[in-house]
Amino acid sequence: MKHNIRFARILVAAAVLGLGLLVAMQASAKTISAEDWAERLKPAGELCLQGMDCGGVAAPVVVGPKSADQVYNSVCMACHDTGAAGAPKRGDAAAWAPRITQGMATLYDHSLTGIRGMPAKGGNPNLSDDEVKSAVDYIVEASR
Ligand code: HEC
């Protein structure tokens, strides 16, 4: 009886060892790339990882906040380059002097919430507060 139990234990130990070896061998035989995974998972739905080319549409790369000149050139310049709607032009020190004396806090506030012909956030609510403020700095720096 005792003998049988010991034998069974050896058998189990050998089986576990063998299985472990097999798994280890398989794992080292093939390292799986992101593309392989995507291919294998395809039936479960399209998997598009960052940086992969997914049917011509590149996966979106997460971008950080827009820089001040990017914000200015994509939104603010429409009025502040041309003077449209009576906007004070960037670089026009005479037009900006009385506005700058209000203090930056007021300029930020008016840019975020809007004032008269100046729409809130220049009309682009997708801009973060910090992006708008950096664009104000950008305009003011060039207009002193
Ligand atoms: C649709 C046109 C338009 C766009 C776009 C626009 N502005 Fe203006 N902005 C104006 C006008 C008009 C004024 C003058 C408002 C007034 O005082 O009557 C103004 C005034 C300002 C002022 C001065 C506010 C004050 O208190 O004197 C700041 C600062 C300013 N804009 C920043 C920005 C920034 C930053 C952007 C881009 C994110 C932007 N503007 C986009 C039209 C625009």
Side-chain angles (χ1 to χ4, degrees):
M1 220 22 197
K2 239 181 179 179
H3 197 75
N4 273 347
I5 291 174
R6 188 175 295 164
F7 182 69
R9 279 193 183 150
I10 290 169
L11 214 72
V12 168
V16 168
L17 204 78
L19 209 74
L21 252 158
L22 213 78
V23 170
M25 274 165 61
Q26 277 215 326
S28 65
K30 190 162 195 254
T31 41
I32 298 165
S33 72
E35 274 81 7
D36 286 341
W37 270 119
E39 195 59 42
R40 288 175 189 205
L41 293 173
K42 233 176 194 164
E46 285 292 331
L47 180 75
C48 193
L49 299 175
Q50 188 169 321
M52 274 172 52
D53 182 31
C54 303
V57 184
V61 175
V62 179
V63 290
K66 286 198 185 80
S67 67
D69 60 321
Q70 281 176 326
V71 173
Y72 179 81
N73 288 316
S74 63
V75 179
C76 320
M77 68 165 290
C79 297
H80 288 279
D81 258 17
T82 59
K89 284 194 195 177
R90 176 171 171 265
D92 184 345
W96 278 98
R99 297 182 185 274
I100 292 169
T101 55
Q102 298 177 107
M104 292 309 288
T106 302
L107 293 183
Y108 291 151
D109 192 48
H110 288 165
S111 311
L112 293 171
T113 59
I115 180 169
R116 294 179 288 268
M118 167 69 197
K121 294 190 171 182
N124 185 345
N126 294 326
L127 292 175
S128 72
D129 288 8
D130 283 342
E131 285 171 332
V132 174
K133 287 180 188 174
S134 73
V136 174
D137 292 342
Y138 181 82
I139 296 173
V140 167
E141 277 315 308
S143 312
R144 285 186 192 276

mmCIF file of all heavy atoms in Angstrom, residues 7-50:
data_model
loop_
_atom_site.group_PDB
_atom_site.id
_atom_site.type_symbol
_atom_site.label_atom_id
_atom_site.label_comp_id
_atom_site.label_asym_id
_atom_site.label_seq_id
_atom_site.Cartn_x
_atom_site.Cartn_y
_atom_site.Cartn_z
ATOM 1 N N PHE A 7 4.845 5.480 -5.446
ATOM 2 C CA PHE A 7 4.954 5.333 -6.894
ATOM 3 C C PHE A 7 4.044 6.344 -7.616
ATOM 4 O O PHE A 7 4.460 6.987 -8.575
ATOM 5 C CB PHE A 7 4.576 3.900 -7.300
ATOM 6 C CG PHE A 7 4.722 3.664 -8.772
ATOM 7 C CD1 PHE A 7 5.995 3.627 -9.370
ATOM 8 C CD2 PHE A 7 3.610 3.504 -9.581
ATOM 9 C CE1 PHE A 7 6.132 3.422 -10.717
ATOM 10 C CE2 PHE A 7 3.734 3.301 -10.931
ATOM 11 C CZ PHE A 7 5.002 3.258 -11.505
ATOM 12 N N ALA A 8 2.842 6.499 -7.076
ATOM 13 C CA ALA A 8 1.888 7.445 -7.674
ATOM 14 C C ALA A 8 2.440 8.862 -7.620
ATOM 15 O O ALA A 8 2.302 9.631 -8.567
ATOM 16 C CB ALA A 8 0.562 7.369 -6.930
ATOM 17 N N ARG A 9 3.089 9.174 -6.485
ATOM 18 C CA ARG A 9 3.648 10.532 -6.341
ATOM 19 C C ARG A 9 4.731 10.771 -7.381
ATOM 20 O O ARG A 9 4.793 11.827 -7.993
ATOM 21 C CB ARG A 9 4.250 10.694 -4.951
ATOM 22 C CG ARG A 9 3.197 11.005 -3.917
ATOM 23 C CD ARG A 9 3.857 11.464 -2.649
ATOM 24 N NE ARG A 9 2.863 11.693 -1.613
ATOM 25 C CZ ARG A 9 3.125 11.531 -0.319
ATOM 26 N NH1 ARG A 9 4.329 11.138 0.072
ATOM 27 N NH2 ARG A 9 2.195 11.778 0.567
ATOM 28 N N ILE A 10 5.553 9.787 -7.588
ATOM 29 C CA ILE A 10 6.630 9.932 -8.574
ATOM 30 C C ILE A 10 6.036 10.138 -9.955
ATOM 31 O O ILE A 10 6.499 10.968 -10.732
ATOM 32 C CB ILE A 10 7.553 8.693 -8.547
ATOM 33 C CG1 ILE A 10 8.348 8.689 -7.227
ATOM 34 C CG2 ILE A 10 8.503 8.682 -9.726
ATOM 35 C CD1 ILE A 10 9.092 7.403 -6.972
ATOM 36 N N LEU A 11 4.984 9.371 -10.218
ATOM 37 C CA LEU A 11 4.328 9.470 -11.522
ATOM 38 C C LEU A 11 3.787 10.886 -11.754
ATOM 39 O O LEU A 11 3.976 11.478 -12.815
ATOM 40 C CB LEU A 11 3.178 8.456 -11.574
ATOM 41 C CG LEU A 11 2.936 7.847 -12.941
ATOM 42 C CD1 LEU A 11 4.065 6.871 -13.278
ATOM 43 C CD2 LEU A 11 1.589 7.143 -12.965
ATOM 44 N N VAL A 12 3.109 11.421 -10.737
ATOM 45 C CA VAL A 12 2.540 12.776 -10.844
ATOM 46 C C VAL A 12 3.658 13.796 -11.043
ATOM 47 O O VAL A 12 3.579 14.677 -11.898
ATOM 48 C CB VAL A 12 1.706 13.117 -9.587
ATOM 49 C CG1 VAL A 12 1.373 14.606 -9.566
ATOM 50 C CG2 VAL A 12 0.441 12.271 -9.557
ATOM 51 N N ALA A 13 4.720 13.663 -10.248
ATOM 52 C CA ALA A 13 5.833 14.601 -10.351
ATOM 53 C C ALA A 13 6.427 14.572 -11.749
ATOM 54 O O ALA A 13 6.710 15.627 -12.349
ATOM 55 C CB ALA A 13 6.890 14.251 -9.317
ATOM 56 N N ALA A 14 6.574 13.397 -12.305
ATOM 57 C CA ALA A 14 7.150 13.252 -13.638
ATOM 58 C C ALA A 14 6.236 13.893 -14.680
ATOM 59 O O ALA A 14 6.709 14.574 -15.600
ATOM 60 C CB ALA A 14 7.347 11.778 -13.950
ATOM 61 N N ALA A 15 4.941 13.699 -14.492
ATOM 62 C CA ALA A 15 3.980 14.247 -15.438
ATOM 63 C C ALA A 15 4.029 15.775 -15.422
ATOM 64 O O ALA A 15 4.053 16.427 -16.463
ATOM 65 C CB ALA A 15 2.578 13.754 -15.097
ATOM 66 N N VAL A 16 4.072 16.350 -14.215
ATOM 67 C CA VAL A 16 4.117 17.815 -14.082
ATOM 68 C C VAL A 16 5.382 18.352 -14.734
ATOM 69 O O VAL A 16 5.361 19.336 -15.470
ATOM 70 C CB VAL A 16 4.044 18.216 -12.593
ATOM 71 C CG1 VAL A 16 4.386 19.687 -12.416
ATOM 72 C CG2 VAL A 16 2.655 17.906 -12.035
ATOM 73 N N LEU A 17 6.485 17.677 -14.465
ATOM 74 C CA LEU A 17 7.767 18.102 -15.022
ATOM 75 C C LEU A 17 7.722 18.074 -16.546
ATOM 76 O O LEU A 17 8.138 19.008 -17.227
ATOM 77 C CB LEU A 17 8.865 17.167 -14.507
ATOM 78 C CG LEU A 17 10.261 17.772 -14.511
ATOM 79 C CD1 LEU A 17 10.415 18.712 -13.320
ATOM 80 C CD2 LEU A 17 11.313 16.677 -14.468
ATOM 81 N N GLY A 18 7.181 16.990 -17.075
ATOM 82 C CA GLY A 18 7.110 16.826 -18.524
ATOM 83 C C GLY A 18 6.258 17.901 -19.162
ATOM 84 O O GLY A 18 6.640 18.495 -20.165
ATOM 85 N N LEU A 19 5.134 18.178 -18.545
ATOM 86 C CA LEU A 19 4.214 19.193 -19.063
ATOM 87 C C LEU A 19 4.890 20.565 -19.062
ATOM 88 O O LEU A 19 4.821 21.311 -20.032
ATOM 89 C CB LEU A 19 2.953 19.224 -18.191
ATOM 90 C CG LEU A 19 1.702 19.647 -18.920
ATOM 91 C CD1 LEU A 19 1.223 18.515 -19.819
ATOM 92 C CD2 LEU A 19 0.617 20.022 -17.915
ATOM 93 N N GLY A 20 5.563 20.870 -17.952
ATOM 94 C CA GLY A 20 6.271 22.148 -17.818
ATOM 95 C C GLY A 20 7.306 22.293 -18.918
ATOM 96 O O GLY A 20 7.406 23.336 -19.550
ATOM 97 N N LEU A 21 8.051 21.243 -19.168
ATOM 98 C CA LEU A 21 9.081 21.264 -20.207
ATOM 99 C C LEU A 21 8.471 21.536 -21.569
ATOM 100 O O LEU A 21 8.991 22.323 -22.359
ATOM 101 C CB LEU A 21 9.801 19.911 -20.225
ATOM 102 C CG LEU A 21 11.228 19.967 -19.665
ATOM 103 C CD1 LEU A 21 11.658 18.587 -19.217
ATOM 104 C CD2 LEU A 21 12.166 20.537 -20.699
ATOM 105 N N LEU A 22 7.363 20.867 -21.814
ATOM 106 C CA LEU A 22 6.685 21.008 -23.101
ATOM 107 C C LEU A 22 6.249 22.455 -23.333
ATOM 108 O O LEU A 22 6.476 23.032 -24.391
ATOM 109 C CB LEU A 22 5.457 20.091 -23.113
ATOM 110 C CG LEU A 22 5.110 19.515 -24.472
ATOM 111 C CD1 LEU A 22 6.037 18.363 -24.808
ATOM 112 C CD2 LEU A 22 3.657 19.076 -24.493
ATOM 113 N N VAL A 23 5.639 23.031 -22.298
ATOM 114 C CA VAL A 23 5.174 24.422 -22.397
ATOM 115 C C VAL A 23 6.358 25.352 -22.626
ATOM 116 O O VAL A 23 6.316 26.234 -23.476
ATOM 117 C CB VAL A 23 4.400 24.822 -21.120
ATOM 118 C CG1 VAL A 23 4.134 26.322 -21.092
ATOM 119 C CG2 VAL A 23 3.091 24.050 -21.037
ATOM 120 N N ALA A 24 7.435 25.137 -21.871
ATOM 121 C CA ALA A 24 8.614 25.981 -21.988
ATOM 122 C C ALA A 24 9.184 25.907 -23.397
ATOM 123 O O ALA A 24 9.586 26.918 -23.979
ATOM 124 C CB ALA A 24 9.654 25.562 -20.964
ATOM 125 N N MET A 25 9.218 24.700 -23.959
ATOM 126 C CA MET A 25 9.766 24.518 -25.299
ATOM 127 C C MET A 25 8.913 25.238 -26.337
ATOM 128 O O MET A 25 9.434 25.904 -27.221
ATOM 129 C CB MET A 25 9.839 23.026 -25.630
ATOM 130 C CG MET A 25 11.114 22.371 -25.126
ATOM 131 S SD MET A 25 10.979 20.583 -25.128
ATOM 132 C CE MET A 25 10.702 20.275 -26.860
ATOM 133 N N GLN A 26 7.627 25.112 -26.190
ATOM 134 C CA GLN A 26 6.726 25.769 -27.141
ATOM 135 C C GLN A 26 6.857 27.275 -27.078
ATOM 136 O O GLN A 26 6.880 27.955 -28.098
ATOM 137 C CB GLN A 26 5.282 25.379 -26.823
ATOM 138 C CG GLN A 26 4.896 24.048 -27.439
ATOM 139 C CD GLN A 26 3.446 24.052 -27.873
ATOM 140 O OE1 GLN A 26 2.633 24.677 -27.231
ATOM 141 N NE2 GLN A 26 3.160 23.380 -28.959
ATOM 142 N N ALA A 27 6.967 27.791 -25.863
ATOM 143 C CA ALA A 27 7.035 29.243 -25.686
ATOM 144 C C ALA A 27 8.298 29.797 -26.318
ATOM 145 O O ALA A 27 8.283 30.854 -26.933
ATOM 146 C CB ALA A 27 6.980 29.581 -24.207
ATOM 147 N N SER A 28 9.421 29.062 -26.167
ATOM 148 C CA SER A 28 10.671 29.576 -26.703
ATOM 149 C C SER A 28 10.747 29.380 -28.209
ATOM 150 O O SER A 28 11.479 30.074 -28.895
ATOM 151 C CB SER A 28 11.849 28.887 -26.017
ATOM 152 O OG SER A 28 11.815 27.511 -26.361
ATOM 153 N N ALA A 29 9.962 28.437 -28.721
ATOM 154 C CA ALA A 29 10.023 28.140 -30.151
ATOM 155 C C ALA A 29 9.514 29.314 -30.977
ATOM 156 O O ALA A 29 10.000 29.566 -32.057
ATOM 157 C CB ALA A 29 9.198 26.892 -30.465
ATOM 158 N N LYS A 30 8.559 30.048 -30.445
ATOM 159 C CA LYS A 30 7.982 31.130 -31.262
ATOM 160 C C LYS A 30 7.617 32.325 -30.397
ATOM 161 O O LYS A 30 6.816 32.225 -29.489
ATOM 162 C CB LYS A 30 6.724 30.597 -31.979
ATOM 163 C CG LYS A 30 6.207 31.557 -33.011
ATOM 164 C CD LYS A 30 5.275 30.877 -33.987
ATOM 165 C CE LYS A 30 5.057 31.731 -35.209
ATOM 166 N NZ LYS A 30 3.805 32.355 -35.291
ATOM 167 N N THR A 31 8.247 33.440 -30.666
ATOM 168 C CA THR A 31 7.826 34.669 -30.002
ATOM 169 C C THR A 31 6.791 35.317 -30.907
ATOM 170 O O THR A 31 6.953 35.366 -32.117
ATOM 171 C CB THR A 31 9.012 35.631 -29.779
ATOM 172 O OG1 THR A 31 9.818 35.610 -30.941
ATOM 173 C CG2 THR A 31 9.825 35.235 -28.578
ATOM 174 N N ILE A 32 5.720 35.787 -30.303
ATOM 175 C CA ILE A 32 4.582 36.267 -31.097
ATOM 176 C C ILE A 32 4.595 37.789 -31.203
ATOM 177 O O ILE A 32 4.654 38.482 -30.195
ATOM 178 C CB ILE A 32 3.269 35.777 -30.448
ATOM 179 C CG1 ILE A 32 3.265 34.237 -30.456
ATOM 180 C CG2 ILE A 32 2.066 36.310 -31.191
ATOM 181 C CD1 ILE A 32 2.233 33.615 -29.563
ATOM 182 N N SER A 33 4.571 38.251 -32.433
ATOM 183 C CA SER A 33 4.592 39.698 -32.648
ATOM 184 C C SER A 33 3.176 40.264 -32.589
ATOM 185 O O SER A 33 2.195 39.528 -32.611
ATOM 186 C CB SER A 33 5.187 40.004 -34.011
ATOM 187 O OG SER A 33 4.268 39.633 -35.010
ATOM 188 N N ALA A 34 3.085 41.583 -32.522
ATOM 189 C CA ALA A 34 1.781 42.253 -32.466
ATOM 190 C C ALA A 34 0.954 41.910 -33.694
ATOM 191 O O ALA A 34 -0.250 41.685 -33.592
ATOM 192 C CB ALA A 34 1.983 43.763 -32.370
ATOM 193 N N GLU A 35 1.620 41.831 -34.861
ATOM 194 C CA GLU A 35 0.902 41.517 -36.100
ATOM 195 C C GLU A 35 0.325 40.109 -36.026
ATOM 196 O O GLU A 35 -0.797 39.874 -36.460
ATOM 197 C CB GLU A 35 1.823 41.633 -37.325
ATOM 198 C CG GLU A 35 1.914 43.048 -37.880
ATOM 199 C CD GLU A 35 2.881 43.927 -37.098
ATOM 200 O OE1 GLU A 35 3.572 43.390 -36.206
ATOM 201 O OE2 GLU A 35 2.922 45.143 -37.360
ATOM 202 N N ASP A 36 1.125 39.162 -35.485
ATOM 203 C CA ASP A 36 0.631 37.789 -35.336
ATOM 204 C C ASP A 36 -0.611 37.757 -34.463
ATOM 205 O O ASP A 36 -1.584 37.098 -34.762
ATOM 206 C CB ASP A 36 1.715 36.892 -34.716
ATOM 207 C CG ASP A 36 2.806 36.580 -35.731
ATOM 208 O OD1 ASP A 36 2.545 36.743 -36.939
ATOM 209 O OD2 ASP A 36 3.898 36.195 -35.308
ATOM 210 N N TRP A 37 -0.537 38.492 -33.364
ATOM 211 C CA TRP A 37 -1.677 38.529 -32.453
ATOM 212 C C TRP A 37 -2.904 39.071 -33.161
ATOM 213 O O TRP A 37 -3.995 38.530 -33.059
ATOM 214 C CB TRP A 37 -1.378 39.399 -31.229
ATOM 215 C CG TRP A 37 -0.767 38.623 -30.120
ATOM 216 C CD1 TRP A 37 0.456 38.828 -29.562
ATOM 217 C CD2 TRP A 37 -1.340 37.508 -29.433
ATOM 218 N NE1 TRP A 37 0.680 37.907 -28.574
ATOM 219 C CE2 TRP A 37 -0.395 37.079 -28.470
ATOM 220 C CE3 TRP A 37 -2.542 36.812 -29.528
ATOM 221 C CZ2 TRP A 37 -0.618 36.018 -27.618
ATOM 222 C CZ3 TRP A 37 -2.780 35.748 -28.684
ATOM 223 C CH2 TRP A 37 -1.818 35.359 -27.741
ATOM 224 N N ALA A 38 -2.699 40.159 -33.894
ATOM 225 C CA ALA A 38 -3.812 40.783 -34.594
ATOM 226 C C ALA A 38 -4.416 39.788 -35.573
ATOM 227 O O ALA A 38 -5.636 39.680 -35.694
ATOM 228 C CB ALA A 38 -3.334 42.035 -35.326
ATOM 229 N N GLU A 39 -3.525 39.030 -36.251
ATOM 230 C CA GLU A 39 -3.985 38.044 -37.230
ATOM 231 C C GLU A 39 -4.800 36.962 -36.524
ATOM 232 O O GLU A 39 -5.872 36.578 -36.986
ATOM 233 C CB GLU A 39 -2.753 37.433 -37.927
ATOM 234 C CG GLU A 39 -3.078 36.668 -39.189
ATOM 235 C CD GLU A 39 -3.780 37.514 -40.249
ATOM 236 O OE1 GLU A 39 -3.365 38.674 -40.445
ATOM 237 O OE2 GLU A 39 -4.741 37.009 -40.842
ATOM 238 N N ARG A 40 -4.286 36.487 -35.392
ATOM 239 C CA ARG A 40 -4.980 35.418 -34.660
ATOM 240 C C ARG A 40 -6.308 35.887 -34.094
ATOM 241 O O ARG A 40 -7.248 35.112 -33.985
ATOM 242 C CB ARG A 40 -4.103 34.937 -33.496
ATOM 243 C CG ARG A 40 -2.923 34.144 -33.971
ATOM 244 C CD ARG A 40 -2.021 33.781 -32.838
ATOM 245 N NE ARG A 40 -0.796 33.205 -33.378
ATOM 246 C CZ ARG A 40 -0.035 32.367 -32.706
ATOM 247 N NH1 ARG A 40 -0.364 32.018 -31.488
ATOM 248 N NH2 ARG A 40 1.056 31.889 -33.246
ATOM 249 N N LEU A 41 -6.349 37.147 -33.688
ATOM 250 C CA LEU A 41 -7.565 37.649 -33.037
ATOM 251 C C LEU A 41 -8.589 38.166 -34.041
ATOM 252 O O LEU A 41 -9.665 38.585 -33.664
ATOM 253 C CB LEU A 41 -7.205 38.773 -32.064
ATOM 254 C CG LEU A 41 -6.381 38.332 -30.860
ATOM 255 C CD1 LEU A 41 -5.921 39.531 -30.058
ATOM 256 C CD2 LEU A 41 -7.202 37.399 -29.956
ATOM 257 N N LYS A 42 -8.225 38.152 -35.307
ATOM 258 C CA LYS A 42 -9.078 38.747 -36.335
ATOM 259 C C LYS A 42 -10.541 38.287 -36.270
ATOM 260 O O LYS A 42 -11.439 39.117 -36.340
ATOM 261 C CB LYS A 42 -8.514 38.467 -37.729
ATOM 262 C CG LYS A 42 -8.360 39.762 -38.504
ATOM 263 C CD LYS A 42 -7.730 39.549 -39.848
ATOM 264 C CE LYS A 42 -7.280 40.887 -40.424
ATOM 265 N NZ LYS A 42 -6.361 40.749 -41.503
ATOM 266 N N PRO A 43 -10.762 36.983 -36.132
ATOM 267 C CA PRO A 43 -12.163 36.549 -36.108
ATOM 268 C C PRO A 43 -12.959 37.202 -34.991
ATOM 269 O O PRO A 43 -14.166 37.348 -35.089
ATOM 270 C CB PRO A 43 -12.060 35.032 -35.883
ATOM 271 C CG PRO A 43 -10.694 34.680 -36.343
ATOM 272 C CD PRO A 43 -9.829 35.873 -36.048
ATOM 273 N N ALA A 44 -12.263 37.610 -33.924
ATOM 274 C CA ALA A 44 -12.969 38.219 -32.793
ATOM 275 C C ALA A 44 -13.214 39.704 -33.022
ATOM 276 O O ALA A 44 -13.772 40.383 -32.194
ATOM 277 C CB ALA A 44 -12.154 38.021 -31.521
ATOM 278 N N GLY A 45 -12.794 40.206 -34.154
ATOM 279 C CA GLY A 45 -12.964 41.639 -34.425
ATOM 280 C C GLY A 45 -11.642 42.252 -34.814
ATOM 281 O O GLY A 45 -10.598 41.751 -34.448
ATOM 282 N N GLU A 46 -11.689 43.329 -35.574
ATOM 283 C CA GLU A 46 -10.455 43.968 -36.013
ATOM 284 C C GLU A 46 -9.698 44.527 -34.814
ATOM 285 O O GLU A 46 -10.261 45.226 -33.983
ATOM 286 C CB GLU A 46 -10.773 45.097 -36.981
ATOM 287 C CG GLU A 46 -11.166 44.619 -38.365
ATOM 288 C CD GLU A 46 -10.009 43.955 -39.121
ATOM 289 O OE1 GLU A 46 -8.861 44.322 -38.861
ATOM 290 O OE2 GLU A 46 -10.292 43.086 -39.964
ATOM 291 N N LEU A 47 -8.440 44.178 -34.741
ATOM 292 C CA LEU A 47 -7.607 44.744 -33.687
ATOM 293 C C LEU A 47 -6.582 45.641 -34.362
ATOM 294 O O LEU A 47 -5.840 45.209 -35.230
ATOM 295 C CB LEU A 47 -6.896 43.634 -32.909
ATOM 296 C CG LEU A 47 -5.993 44.140 -31.787
ATOM 297 C CD1 LEU A 47 -6.825 44.601 -30.597
ATOM 298 C CD2 LEU A 47 -5.027 43.062 -31.346
ATOM 299 N N CYS A 48 -6.600 46.885 -33.982
ATOM 300 C CA CYS A 48 -5.683 47.824 -34.603
ATOM 301 C C CYS A 48 -4.840 48.455 -33.506
ATOM 302 O O CYS A 48 -5.334 49.223 -32.700
ATOM 303 C CB CYS A 48 -6.477 48.891 -35.355
ATOM 304 S SG CYS A 48 -5.456 49.859 -36.441
ATOM 305 N N LEU A 49 -3.573 48.068 -33.456
ATOM 306 C CA LEU A 49 -2.706 48.592 -32.409
ATOM 307 C C LEU A 49 -2.017 49.857 -32.888
ATOM 308 O O LEU A 49 -1.845 50.067 -34.077
ATOM 309 C CB LEU A 49 -1.645 47.551 -32.035
ATOM 310 C CG LEU A 49 -2.191 46.238 -31.501
ATOM 311 C CD1 LEU A 49 -1.061 45.262 -31.276
ATOM 312 C CD2 LEU A 49 -2.948 46.459 -30.203
ATOM 313 N N GLN A 50 -1.663 50.691 -31.914
ATOM 314 C CA GLN A 50 -1.013 51.953 -32.244
ATOM 315 C C GLN A 50 0.229 51.730 -33.089
ATOM 316 O O GLN A 50 1.046 50.878 -32.799
ATOM 317 C CB GLN A 50 -0.630 52.679 -30.953
ATOM 318 C CG GLN A 50 -0.119 54.079 -31.207
ATOM 319 C CD GLN A 50 -0.016 54.854 -29.915
ATOM 320 O OE1 GLN A 50 -0.863 54.744 -29.054
ATOM 321 N NE2 GLN A 50 1.021 55.635 -29.794
#
